[in-house]
Amino acid sequence: MKIAVVREQAAGERRVAATPETVKKFAALGATLAVEAGAGAAASFADADYAAAGATIGDRAATLAGADIVLGVQGADPASLAGVAPGAWVVAGLNPFGERARVDGYAAAGLEALAMEFMPRITRAQSMDILSSQSNLAGYKAVLDAAAEYGRAFPMMMTAAGTVSAARVFVMGVGVAGLQAIATARRLGAQVSATDVRSATKEQIQSLGAKPIFVENVAGIEGEGSGGYAGEMSPEYQAAQAELVSSHIAKQDIVITTALIPGRAAPRLVSDAQLASMRPGSVVVDLAVEQGGNVEGAVAGEVVERHGVKIVGHRNVAGRLPADASALFSRNLYNFLSTFWDKEQGRPVLDDEIGDAIRLTKDGKVVNARLLS
């Protein structure tokens, strides 16, 4: 069983799908590891460290030659995977809804594409969930990005020259990224409030020492969708939430938005009028900017200014912490493959529950129900 680790080709992608730590673990299972030269350089993992862990280092063609499994962070172009074994697995974050043509390309090439972001949110798959591991880092980095753009301090400071007021941070969307943003802003000394469409998150917000901002007594308050994600809300709820948020957001210094709905454009949470109500020098960080954005006027890959408010729209936020993001991502991949490793066959054998959830293509066809519906 040959596992290939390729160098990422997407612009600005600094993560890598395996580290020397996970290479060593895969080798202990009996796999042969091949790593493309320079694959981990941007994440501070040297080729020599991969070689010491038991991997063979080579160019892309040699790395892919006869590979049974190809590991990636973002899905590689199917045309760049020539030479792999027939029916080889491509295991990566594949963005199935946003890159459907690439999924069709995997099918045409006879590859079995496994989308790690489709991992079901069940207890036994928690250690395999790339969305959670990467969102955790994104929530942390979002607060640091906000602090870097904000022209004032986060904590309250009492000095001989007077008192500096604490920054007021409002987190919209309390999933993994939002919870980490709350915790990080609190550690930096900010006054933190947060909101979500799922009423169950109120206790989580309070447990981190933040103030929950929730619409009460309106139809559609329970916004729990499938798999623990947020769902779409009733028009009555959306109107009540917009009114509540408008009055609250005008008093905030920092707003961090994290709301995503799988397979759909990100919901609009902050309008241009709400931005105009914030005081000049405020900062808004939109973690959903690559899926259409939660904030009106946000631009993917840029920091723009509207009404004196900076809107931060960095792409691939977790990837801006490449060493830690790679370490967590690669462990997700190892946890996934090792869980299903069959010692007799010397390869992973998936069960129906997880296999059917993440498998996009097989035997030349797109087979995933979420893409066919």
Side-chain angles (χ1 to χ4, degrees), residues 52 70 91 100 220 231 240 253 327:
V70 179
V91 185
R100 179 56 195 270
D253 303 305

Side-chain angles (χ1 to χ4, degrees), residues 171-195:
V171 178
M172 303 183 73
V174 189
V176 174
L179 289 169
Q180 184 58 249
I182 292 169
T184 302
R186 287 276 297 154
R187 284 195 292 266
L188 290 178
Q191 292 181 3
V192 185
S193 56
T195 190

Side-chain angles (χ1 to χ4, degrees), residues 7-365:
R7 186 171 185 168
E8 297 297 313
Q9 296 180 318
E13 181 56 79
R14 297 164 62 196
R15 293 172 291 178
V16 62
T19 63
E21 172 200 354
T22 59
V23 163
K24 195 170 186 177
K25 289 180 177 179
F26 278 124
L29 292 176
T32 299
L33 274 296
V35 177
E36 184 177 356
S44 304
F45 298 110
D47 287 346
D49 294 331
Y50 285 108
T56 301
I57 310 300
D59 61 17
R60 194 175 186 90
T63 299
L64 290 171
D68 302 287
I69 298 176
V70 179
L71 301 183
V73 176
Q74 297 191 44
D77 185 331
S80 74
L81 299 178
V84 299
W89 289 8
V90 178
V91 185
L94 299 179
N95 188 16
F97 296 116
E99 299 284 353
R100 179 56 195 270
R102 186 169 63 193
V103 174
D104 292 337
Y106 292 137
L111 301 171
E112 187 165 335
L114 303 178
M116 290 297 292
E117 61 267 66
F118 274 12
M119 189 66 64
R121 289 205 155 171
I122 55 178
T123 301
R124 70 188 182 98
Q126 285 180 343
S127 66
M128 314 171 194
D129 187 353
I130 64 167
L131 294 182
S132 291
S133 73
Q134 303 304 290
S135 293
N136 213 327
L137 291 170
Y140 163 79
K141 184 64 172 171
V143 177
L144 299 190
D145 288 338
E149 298 293 342
Y150 186 51
R152 300 179 174 87
F154 261 50
M156 182 181 77
M157 297 182 183
M158 301 179 71
T159 75
T163 300
V164 173
S165 298
R168 288 161 294 191
V169 176
F170 182 37
V171 178
M172 303 183 73
V174 189
V176 174
L179 289 169
Q180 184 58 249
I182 292 169
T184 302
R186 287 276 297 154
R187 284 195 292 266
L188 290 178
Q191 292 181 3
V192 185
S193 56
T195 190
D196 196 281
V197 298
R198 296 164 295 177
S199 58
T201 61
K202 186 180 294 188
E203 291 183 1
Q204 296 173 324
I205 294 168
Q206 292 171 322
S207 73
L208 291 171
K211 179 181 178 182
I213 305 297
F214 275 79
V215 173
E216 305 288 354
N217 303 319
V218 175
I221 179 63
E222 186 50 65
E224 192 82 23
S226 62
Y229 295 97
E232 289 192 287
M233 306 307 298
S234 68
E236 295 83 4
Y237 180 90
Q238 291 175 355
Q241 187 191 44
E243 183 178 350
L244 175 68
V245 166
S246 291
S247 62
H248 186 70
I249 211 170
K251 307 167 190 172
Q252 304 306 303
D253 303 305
I254 310 285
V255 176
I256 297 172
T257 68
T258 72
L260 289 170
I261 299 175
R264 303 191 183 183
R268 183 55 48 84
L269 301 183
V270 180
S271 67
D272 186 70
Q274 290 168 331
L275 288 171
S277 73
M278 299 178 73
R279 68 172 177 167
S282 300
V283 178
V284 179
V285 180
D286 189 345
L287 283 181
V289 69
E290 291 179 277
Q291 280 73 47
N294 297 143
V295 181
E296 187 173 356
V299 179
E302 297 183 23
V303 178
V304 298
E305 189 168 314
R306 291 172 73 101
H307 311 296
V309 176
K310 288 184 179 180
I311 308 172
V312 180
H314 293 310
R315 296 179 183 272
N316 190 10
V317 176
R320 297 175 65 240
L321 297 167
D324 284 335
S326 297
L328 295 181
F329 194 103
S330 63
R331 287 174 198 155
N332 290 145
L333 297 187
Y334 172 77
N335 291 338
F336 164 56
L337 293 172
S338 63
T339 295
F340 294 102
W341 200 271
D342 186 305
K343 292 183 180 179
E344 292 184 3
Q345 297 188 44
R347 61 175 296 127
V349 179
L350 302 185
D351 65 14
D352 291 342
E353 183 178 28
I354 289 179
D356 290 349
I358 68 172
R359 186 182 295 109
L360 303 183
T361 62
K362 188 174 184 178
D363 299 330
K365 295 183 244 179

